[in-house]
Amino acid sequence: MIAEASRAGIGKLFLAKLGGMRAHVVAFLSQLMVVGALRPDDARLAAEHLRALLEAEIVEPLLLDARDASPSDGEIALAVERAVAAFLKAYAPAGH
Amino acid sequence: MIAEASRAGIGKLFLAKLGGMRAHVVAFLSQLMVVGALRPDDARLAAEHLRALLEAEIVEPLLLDARDASPSDGEIALAVERAVAAFLKAYAPAGH
């Protein structure tokens, strides 16, 4: 995907498709901010930060072909758990 | 870089070069954990999370060629500020 991103605007097309999913995440995070489960902030920024944290441990090494094997389900689950824990701390409501 | 990652192990070579920088960041974050400026946690994980947050707003759209222009210095500075703010909250010592 990234290798061909500049060809025929395929990168833009891919991002546009992602946009639909992203909108759902932004709406969900906005609701969590409204009900006080997360501190009020830019929900779009929060969504970018959440995605980045979710990708932090696994996606970059995969992109660079620096892994010898696909991550196991357990490895993915652990990375997701750590990412969500960091995100919830970063966006915790005041006093939590 | 990513487009050619699987060729001649260049992705692995790139990651190995990055490893030196990464080690510095891990050592720095470890020190901050030792002196209590950050909560104690896996400094390697913290470094991955910091990198991911720093890349969250700008790098992915650039990789996908979905930006029409390079980010301005101001835009980069703002993204870095937001990333560091989120990171410091995520890794704040208990009670902060």
Side-chain angles (χ1 to χ4, degrees):
Chain A
M1 191 68 235
I2 286 169
E4 300 293 326
S6 62
R7 194 167 302 177
I10 203 174
K12 282 185 180 125
L13 192 68
F14 182 62
L15 263 198
K17 291 283 180 193
L18 277 185
M21 280 200 302
R22 185 168 309 192
H24 281 294
V25 175
V26 171
F28 178 60
L29 295 179
S30 292
Q31 285 180 321
L32 293 178
M33 290 172 184
V34 167
V35 302
L38 297 178
R39 67 180 165 78
D41 202 335
D42 179 345
R44 251 165 226 290
L45 174 66
E48 291 298 323
H49 282 170
L50 177 57
R51 180 193 51 71
L53 288 167
L54 287 169
E55 294 180 353
E57 288 191 75
I58 292 178
V59 174
E60 187 190 65
L62 277 180
L63 284 178
L64 290 171
D65 199 37
R67 290 184 60 106
D68 293 325
S70 295
S72 68
D73 288 354
E75 196 179 345
I76 293 173
L78 184 61
V80 167
E81 192 180 306
R82 290 160 154 180
V84 171
F87 177 79
L88 290 177
K89 282 186 171 37
Y91 285 89
H96 286 70
Chain B
M1 191 67 235
I2 287 168
E4 300 294 325
S6 62
R7 194 167 301 177
I10 204 175
K12 282 184 180 125
L13 192 67
F14 181 64
L15 263 198
K17 290 283 179 193
L18 277 185
M21 280 202 301
R22 185 169 309 193
H24 282 293
V25 175
V26 171
F28 178 61
L29 295 179
S30 293
Q31 285 181 320
L32 293 179
M33 289 172 184
V34 167
V35 300
L38 297 178
R39 66 181 166 78
D41 201 335
D42 178 345
R44 250 165 227 289
L45 173 66
E48 291 298 323
H49 282 170
L50 177 58
R51 179 193 51 69
L53 288 168
L54 287 170
E55 294 179 354
E57 288 191 75
I58 290 176
V59 174
E60 186 191 64
L62 278 180
L63 284 178
L64 290 171
D65 199 36
R67 290 185 59 106
D68 294 324
S70 294
S72 68
D73 288 354
E75 196 179 347
I76 293 172
L78 183 61
V80 167
E81 192 179 306
R82 289 160 154 181
V84 171
F87 177 79
L88 290 177
K89 282 187 171 41
Y91 285 89
H96 286 70

